[in-house]
Amino acid sequence: MGIMTRSRHPGSGPTSNRQTDRTGARPQQGNPPRQDQADEAGRGRRGPGKGGRPPAARGVLLYGLHPVAAAWTNPERRIHRLLATDSGRAALEQAIAAARAQGLQRPEATPVDRTELDRMLPPGAVHQGLVVDASPLPELGIEDLCNELVAEPSAVIVALDQVTDPHNVGAILRSAAAFGARAVVVTERHAPETTGVLAKSASGALEAVPLVRVTNLARALTDLQQNGFWSVGLAESGPSTLAKLDLTGKTVLVMGAEGSGLRRLTMERCDAIARLPTGGPVGSLNVSNAAAVALYEVARLRE
């Protein structure tokens, strides 16, 4: 799977005039400092100490070995700080060496105690002794996505219709990365922010699969269809199973929120409605599980 470039073209659909980044934070004005200049003051600095309050985050806090390692080795990520316990720092050594081999500028780790990380993060967060303060990834719009894939005869995208749980969206990103999907499209409203919770659930996939936010999902589906994509909505009311469709070309798998499912206008914009062959006493799956099954089915049909 190729690396998707996250750049915005002038007038690139609904995201072209937005002034926010992928976490919803407004960008800093003026020329940003180089990575080495921005982080020089923090090199080798000790943690806040017991009972102290850590400095305010400059970006988004990512935590856990896989999300931190993936962000650390991603050239598109700017890392402000790494807070690590001794065991966390040791576990990250391979990623540190890989980033160094790429010539990436990264700050030195700030040693902290596990309890200090606990205080920084949501209750119960499994941080594995690692937290990075990282700038958001550059945004990608629908036009960017279509331009990236214009020469490819076959590609898969997942579109989510108001799926709000960050654990579900993160898990879908992970399945998308595992089965070769090129992007996950979500709505501006009624979709989770790109937080550490989402990144942790994605287990590093946030760095590999772009999360594309759109103002209007129905319009985004139209844009994709005009660029050669065939959109398939998944619903229990589908007249046929996914396996009976021709999914060898450019395909968008459209999935709705649990309970409400696909909205009427979204369903009307789909080229086909299909279902998974579920049955028995529990006839439906969690949306992230359904996405994993659907992505596997598409991958199987393309072998």
Side-chain angles (χ1 to χ4, degrees):
M1 181 175 65
I3 299 297
M4 190 73 69
T5 338
R6 293 175 173 86
S7 62
R8 290 191 300 178
H9 303 302
S12 58
T15 63
S16 60
N17 294 321
R18 286 171 43 213
Q19 297 298 315
T20 57
D21 52 39
R22 288 177 63 191
T23 63
R26 293 193 176 275
Q28 298 176 350
Q29 298 297 319
N31 294 326
R34 298 199 329 262
Q35 175 76 56
D36 51 353
Q37 292 174 333
D39 298 313
E40 185 64 33
R43 292 186 188 277
R45 190 177 291 171
R46 298 295 300 180
K50 292 184 178 180
R53 183 179 295 276
R58 296 173 59 184
V60 60
L61 296 180
L62 307 177
Y63 57 87
L65 178 57
H66 293 301
V68 170
W72 195 264
T73 55
N74 183 0
E76 295 188 29
R77 278 285 190 190
R78 185 179 176 195
I79 308 295
H80 302 300
R81 288 182 298 155
L82 168 63
L83 306 176
T85 63
D86 290 342
S87 61
R89 172 64 174 76
L92 194 63
E93 186 57 45
Q94 185 175 353
I96 291 173
R100 187 180 300 120
Q102 294 181 66
L104 300 179
Q105 294 285 346
R106 294 297 186 239
E108 295 292 336
T110 300
V112 292
D113 295 329
R114 180 171 293 273
T115 54
E116 295 172 43
L117 299 183
D118 291 338
R119 287 197 297 269
M120 296 176 64
L121 300 173
V126 182
H127 53 70
Q128 298 170 288
L130 290 167
V131 174
V132 292
D133 182 357
S135 290
L137 289 167
E139 291 182 341
L140 188 74
I142 286 294
E143 184 176 317
D144 302 292
L145 190 59
C146 292
N147 288 339
E148 293 280 356
L149 303 175
V150 65
E152 298 191 22
S154 178
V156 181
I157 293 172
V158 179
L160 303 179
D161 190 9
Q162 297 192 344
V163 177
T164 59
D165 187 339
H167 298 91
N168 280 334
V169 175
I172 290 168
L173 279 165
R174 185 174 183 176
S175 296
F179 291 110
R182 304 303 299 272
V184 173
V185 178
V186 298
T187 52
E188 284 273 9
R189 300 177 60 189
H190 307 294
E193 294 295 332
T194 313
T195 61
V197 173
L198 188 152
K200 175 65 174 174
S201 299
S203 193
L206 184 61
E207 311 300 321
V209 179
L211 189 63
V212 180
R213 296 184 183 274
V214 298
T215 303
N216 186 300
L217 184 59
R219 186 182 305 128
L221 291 176
T222 299
D223 291 340
L224 289 168
Q225 288 164 336
Q226 290 174 348
N227 283 273
F229 281 87
W230 195 53
S231 61
V232 180
L234 268 72
E236 292 179 40
S237 61
S240 65
T241 61
L242 195 62
K244 294 181 179 179
L245 301 180
D246 180 3
L247 305 174
T248 56
K250 292 182 177 180
T251 304
V252 186
L253 294 175
V254 190
M255 314 196 68
E258 292 184 59
S260 58
L262 294 173
R263 290 175 294 168
R264 178 187 58 81
L265 185 56
T266 304
M267 189 174 291
E268 289 175 356
R269 291 297 174 90
C270 291
D271 296 301
I273 303 296
R275 55 183 167 80
L276 297 177
T278 55
V282 180
S284 62
L285 295 174
N286 169 281
V287 64
S288 62
N289 292 333
V293 172
L295 285 165
Y296 165 76
E297 186 65 20
V298 174
R300 185 186 68 82
L301 292 170
R302 295 181 177 209
E303 287 183 347

